[in-house]
Amino acid sequence: MAEHLFDAFDAVSSKQWKQQIQFELKGADYNETLVWESPEGIKVKPFYHNDEDTAKLGVNTPEKAFSILQNIFVHDVALSNKRALDSLNRGAESIRFTIENETISIEELMQNLPLEKIAYYLHLPFLSVDFVAKINAFATKNNVNITIQVDPIGQLVKDGNWFENLDKDFDVFNKINSSFPFLNISSGTYQNAGANIVQQLAYTLAHVNEYFNRVQNLNQPITIEVAIGINYFFEIAKLRALRLLFNTLAKEYNHNFDCHIIATPSKRNKTLYDYNVNMLRTTTECMSAILGGANAVANLPYDSLYHKDNEFGDRIARNQLLVLKHESYFDKVNNPADGAYYIEIVTAQLAEKALLLFKDIEANGGLITQLIEGTIQKKISESATKEQELFDSGKEILLGTNKYPNKNDKMKHDLELYPFVKQNPRKTLITPIIEKRLAEKLEQERLSQEA
């Protein structure tokens, strides 16, 4: 009987829906009233229908459920080890250590940690063949799942300089002969600096393409770090488009591995005042990441802007993901966005626009050339300025900040970290792409007025 449940109802065409909507609008223009345009130039309709809005893209999202990833900066090896063990006992399913120098002992860092069925990521903000060899030896000896995250181009993008220089960086990179993944694409910088979604996708693809062209025998999965923004459905579509574009590009190089996506909520829309709202923002952003097919999600603690790493902030961030996984069952449905007309159409449009921009970048020398020329920085700055103007005018709303702010909220004496863009004048090869939050100017004004 369930198979024929809807047979008693007549099918309603998109034309009939539009006629009914137009009637309800009482003469108002359909397009001007209900159709809006995204920053990427995509016109979003009030409804989508299978008689005119079908796009079966065949995006293959991971069959394995997303992993809850805990970030740990290694300042003290013993404390970092203890914190990792505690995080795993409290629900984390994978650990990412950021190791600042090669004097760290991998054996001490990983001591007593469960090595089976747990994925470990080692983010290295430096290049060292010897240190990677030590990691490789430890992983092989202990049969542990380790992914190294090294990104010389990401270093150039964010810092303005290579680790040393282009030739030497890639010479070292090509000497890294690892039996496990080591290549990382730090694409979150583009989003946090204000790039729109099409730009993020195109720059990420161009970023990957530079490695395909410059790294010999690239025969391992590539990790892509992504920042997730506030536009719920568009962010779902972004991750799906990213996987589609990556696989299209990889085929051209006979690269047979799907990308491994690590998603983290954006910093761009996070706020210093009324900071608890950050938990609502990160929750929906994590939902977008999961539904979009991220392999691992590292949540952003609500107080990360102004507090040093702390157990409470980490626990709340981790618990948000535990609720989504074990109480909201976000891990139970494979590819939940598949067949949703709206998401499929937006995915197709984002991918098409990003591919055109990518081709333009490649036709003009590629990502590194355009970074040196300043073209990428200029385009991101233009996009960020448009978004900033929308925020400043109140058209883009952050509740508790430029809408319904709590005037009694005081933050001056709670700042353990400097929450704004740091000025560090120095000589650089390129103009670095600087991450900046929308609320910074407004927050600085409020802080200056606090007693």
Side-chain angles (χ1 to χ4, degrees), residues 330-399:
F330 267 58
D331 63 329
K332 298 302 181 186
V333 180
N334 183 37
N335 205 1
D338 192 29
Y341 307 135
Y342 176 31
I343 295 174
E344 291 279 19
I345 291 297
V346 172
T347 299
Q349 291 175 317
L350 289 174
E352 182 179 354
K353 286 177 176 289
L355 188 58
L356 287 173
L357 180 54
F358 165 72
K359 289 179 178 179
D360 180 71
I361 293 169
E362 294 305 308
N364 288 282
L367 181 75
I368 293 175
T369 297
Q370 294 221 322
L371 284 168
I372 293 172
E373 293 173 349
T375 304
I376 302 295
Q377 295 91 322
K378 180 182 176 182
K379 294 297 183 183
I380 292 178
S381 178
E382 290 172 353
S383 173
T385 298
K386 289 178 182 178
E387 187 180 18
Q388 190 68 55
E389 288 172 352
L390 290 173
F391 174 80
D392 293 342
S393 66
K395 292 180 181 178
E396 182 164 334
I397 295 170
L398 292 181
L399 288 176

Side-chain angles (χ1 to χ4, degrees), residues 77-204:
V77 173
L79 289 177
S80 297
N81 173 272
K82 181 180 178 182
R83 185 176 166 202
L85 188 58
D86 181 67
S87 298
L88 291 170
N89 289 333
R90 290 171 176 262
E93 298 164 326
S94 51
I95 300 291
R96 173 162 55 186
F97 290 114
T98 295
I99 300 174
E100 296 184 317
N101 62 74
E102 55 186 299
T103 62
I104 297 297
S105 168
I106 296 300
E107 288 77 9
E108 291 180 20
L109 183 62
M110 302 292 289
Q111 187 177 14
N112 299 322
L113 293 178
L115 301 182
E116 294 183 4
K117 299 180 181 180
I118 301 294
Y120 293 93
Y121 303 84
L122 303 182
H123 175 248
L124 308 182
F126 59 88
L127 281 178
S128 171
V129 176
D130 292 340
F131 192 68
V132 171
K134 290 178 183 178
I135 299 171
N136 195 359
F138 176 85
T140 302
K141 178 182 178 181
N142 296 280
N143 193 29
V144 56
N145 179 9
I146 291 181
T147 297
I148 295 179
Q149 293 185 271
V150 185
D151 184 8
I153 298 175
Q155 162 73 11
L156 174 68
V157 167
K158 195 167 184 175
D159 183 74
N161 288 316
W162 297 98
F163 290 114
E164 193 160 350
N165 60 53
L166 186 151
D167 291 334
K168 290 186 178 180
D169 279 12
F170 276 99
D171 182 54
V172 172
F173 211 60
N174 277 294
K175 287 179 180 176
I176 295 176
N177 185 15
S178 174
S179 62
F180 51 87
F182 65 90
L183 178 55
N184 185 67
I185 309 297
S186 305
S187 75
T189 304
Y190 306 126
Q191 197 281 341
N192 282 309
N196 65 44
I197 291 177
V198 168
Q199 291 173 331
Q200 294 168 47
L201 290 169
Y203 300 157
T204 302

Side-chain angles (χ1 to χ4, degrees), residues 126-350:
F126 59 88
L127 281 178
S128 171
V129 176
D130 292 340
F131 192 68
V132 171
K134 290 178 183 178
I135 299 171
N136 195 359
F138 176 85
T140 302
K141 178 182 178 181
N142 296 280
N143 193 29
V144 56
N145 179 9
I146 291 181
T147 297
I148 295 179
Q149 293 185 271
V150 185
D151 184 8
I153 298 175
Q155 162 73 11
L156 174 68
V157 167
K158 195 167 184 175
D159 183 74
N161 288 316
W162 297 98
F163 290 114
E164 193 160 350
N165 60 53
L166 186 151
D167 291 334
K168 290 186 178 180
D169 279 12
F170 276 99
D171 182 54
V172 172
F173 211 60
N174 277 294
K175 287 179 180 176
I176 295 176
N177 185 15
S178 174
S179 62
F180 51 87
F182 65 90
L183 178 55
N184 185 67
I185 309 297
S186 305
S187 75
T189 304
Y190 306 126
Q191 197 281 341
N192 282 309
N196 65 44
I197 291 177
V198 168
Q199 291 173 331
Q200 294 168 47
L201 290 169
Y203 300 157
T204 302
L205 203 62
H207 198 140
V208 174
N209 198 50
E210 290 286 354
Y211 286 120
F212 276 137
N213 285 317
R214 296 174 184 273
V215 179
Q216 302 162 6
N217 303 318
L218 187 52
N219 195 33
Q220 291 132 352
I222 296 173
T223 301
I224 302 179
E225 292 184 78
V226 181
I228 302 297
I230 199 169
N231 192 332
Y232 184 72
F233 290 108
F234 268 61
E235 292 295 330
I236 295 173
K238 179 176 82 176
L239 290 196
R240 292 166 61 81
L242 174 59
R243 200 175 289 278
L244 182 67
L245 289 166
F246 174 88
N247 288 329
T248 301
L249 178 65
K251 286 179 182 178
E252 298 297 317
Y253 293 92
N254 297 315
H255 183 83
N256 299 316
F257 296 91
D258 196 1
C259 58
H260 185 88
I261 297 176
I262 298 176
T264 302
S266 170
K267 299 174 186 174
R268 187 157 172 78
N269 64 338
K270 303 307 178 288
T271 57
L272 186 60
Y273 289 93
D274 213 346
Y275 48 76
N276 287 320
V277 181
N278 289 334
M279 282 188 277
L280 302 179
R281 298 179 182 122
T282 55
T283 298
T284 61
E285 288 158 2
C286 287
M287 290 165 66
S288 292
I290 297 164
L291 297 177
N295 299 88
V297 182
N299 197 8
L300 190 71
Y302 75 98
D303 60 347
S304 61
L305 296 181
Y306 63 95
H307 273 168
K308 296 178 182 178
D309 288 347
N310 63 91
E311 192 276 335
F312 183 76
D314 282 346
R315 179 161 57 86
I316 293 297
R318 192 168 53 245
N319 285 351
Q320 289 174 259
L321 291 171
L322 287 168
V323 168
L324 289 176
K325 192 165 194 174
H326 298 297
E327 296 185 29
S328 302
Y329 305 111
F330 267 58
D331 63 329
K332 298 302 181 186
V333 180
N334 183 37
N335 205 1
D338 192 29
Y341 307 135
Y342 176 31
I343 295 174
E344 291 279 19
I345 291 297
V346 172
T347 299
Q349 291 175 317
L350 289 174

